[in-house]
Amino acid sequence: MRKTITVAVLGSTGYVGLELIYILSRHPGIEIIFLGSENFPNKDIKEFDKRITNDTLPKLDLYKNIDPTNIDVVFLALPHIVSQNFVKKNINKTNIIDLSADFRLDDSEVYRNNYNSKHVCPYLLNNFIYGLPEINFGLIRNCNNIAVPGCYPTSILLPLVPLLKAKLINSYNIIIDSKSGYSGAGKKFDERNISKDGMLNFYNYNTNEHRHICEIHQELSKISDTEVKFSFNPHILPIFRGMMSTIYCDLNKDISSYDINECLTKFYSNASFVKLIDKQERNDFFKVQNTNNCFIKLFDH
């Protein structure tokens, strides 16, 4: 008989928290016993997301009222800095899955340079595994604490890690052109940036300076024998959800598009959510919105 896993979510009313609760509340092996919110204590989570229909969920409560020793897994859907303060106080009291950026990076100096804040518990960075399951499944299975990858890095690492690992592409000249829906910017995003007087807008931002660059570089460098150099240009689209990364790579000598396809097909043969699609099939946001899926489409010239 499968054991029921008890779960808490802190940061319940943000985009990430609500999506997480929606997924967890429908899972037969999960029991949510604590929902944390500093701004809306005693409110019903269904007031914030009509998709959540589970009537057994607890009301929102202040973070200070959680007892992590009685919970199997605590999910932190919190802003960076807030997450690390919780971890500092509660490490080893429960299993922690952190959805912020606080434990994705291995180096506290890199963290400080990119997030403009000194890490309050850099000695705990090694307690977390970078939680991209298609790449680190074996490590995740044997770890109590997981740092969930960033959105842009996920869309970039999934296609590039297998190719760099197999030495099929040149690591010195990778061009990454990414586009995201505005939900990735959180609830504080000003929608006037993308819509004005009935007109829709589209723009790039933080080219080659985005915070996720260090995360991408860190993970690619772990599997490449040569230095990894890339340019990264992110954009915001006038849609709510979804992400697409178009990545340009030079093939190494004597490597063909067939080799690339074979590598990715084999690497993800047992991956439930990563799928290669034919070049004749359209790859668009409708295919991935509200799913766990990543679709990879190859082009050659």
Side-chain angles (χ1 to χ4, degrees), residues 85-295:
N85 279 287
F86 176 88
V87 170
K88 183 179 181 180
K89 295 176 182 177
N90 296 286
I91 193 75
N92 298 326
K93 294 180 182 178
T94 184
N95 301 304
I96 298 173
I97 299 181
D98 181 28
L99 290 90
S100 82
D102 278 350
F103 294 90
R104 295 172 186 163
L105 300 175
D106 300 333
D107 189 321
S108 60
E109 284 301 307
V110 174
Y111 177 88
R112 182 169 66 174
N113 292 337
N114 283 273
Y115 290 90
N116 301 316
S117 176
K118 186 176 180 180
H119 205 289
V120 301
C121 48
Y123 50 89
L124 294 179
L125 291 175
N126 290 334
N127 286 54
F128 283 75
I129 290 298
Y130 189 78
L132 193 56
E134 289 81 7
I135 307 299
N136 288 335
F137 180 75
L139 296 174
I140 292 170
R141 289 189 65 183
N142 299 308
C143 185
N144 295 328
N145 306 305
I146 298 170
V148 175
C151 48
Y152 282 122
T154 297
S155 70
I156 293 161
L157 295 173
L158 286 174
L160 286 184
V161 164
L163 302 181
L164 283 172
K165 195 171 185 179
K167 299 180 174 60
L168 301 184
I169 59 173
N170 189 315
S171 65
Y172 292 103
N173 186 31
I174 300 171
I175 301 170
I176 304 166
D177 182 7
S178 295
K179 300 171 180 66
S180 171
Y182 65 86
S183 65
K187 285 193 170 182
K188 294 182 179 180
F189 178 76
D190 188 346
E191 293 186 31
R192 290 174 296 182
N193 289 322
I194 55 170
S195 179
K196 183 179 180 181
D197 299 327
M199 301 293 288
L200 297 178
N201 192 22
F202 164 57
Y203 62 94
N204 73 312
Y205 67 107
N206 294 340
T207 300
N208 288 332
E209 296 180 352
H210 195 280
R211 285 174 169 176
H212 284 168
I213 288 175
C214 57
E215 181 183 340
I216 297 165
H217 188 268
Q218 169 185 282
E219 295 305 309
L220 291 180
S221 297
K222 288 178 180 178
I223 49 86
S224 177
D225 293 337
T226 55
E227 184 178 359
V228 178
K229 294 183 178 180
F230 60 88
S231 63
F232 175 54
N233 192 11
H235 305 73
I236 292 290
L237 292 171
I239 60 174
F240 179 65
R241 176 173 291 172
M243 178 164 289
M244 181 179 291
S245 289
T246 303
I247 306 173
Y248 304 86
C249 306
D250 293 329
L251 303 186
N252 282 333
K253 186 178 180 181
D254 298 326
I255 299 300
S256 67
S257 58
Y258 175 84
D259 299 320
I260 300 295
N261 185 78
E262 285 295 293
C263 174
L264 291 173
T265 300
K266 182 177 180 180
F267 195 93
Y268 291 116
S269 60
N270 295 317
S272 300
F273 303 122
V274 180
K275 301 171 175 60
L276 269 71
I277 63 174
D278 187 84
K279 65 173 61 178
Q280 304 305 320
E281 183 178 350
R282 190 170 79 175
N283 206 7
D284 61 31
F285 282 65
F286 290 155
K287 295 175 74 70
V288 295
Q289 287 169 337
N290 301 306
T291 77
N292 291 341
N293 293 328
C294 172
F295 290 93

Side-chain angles (χ1 to χ4, degrees), residues 7 21 71 154 199 301:
V7 161
I21 294 165
I71 301 169
T154 297
M199 301 293 288
H301 62 86

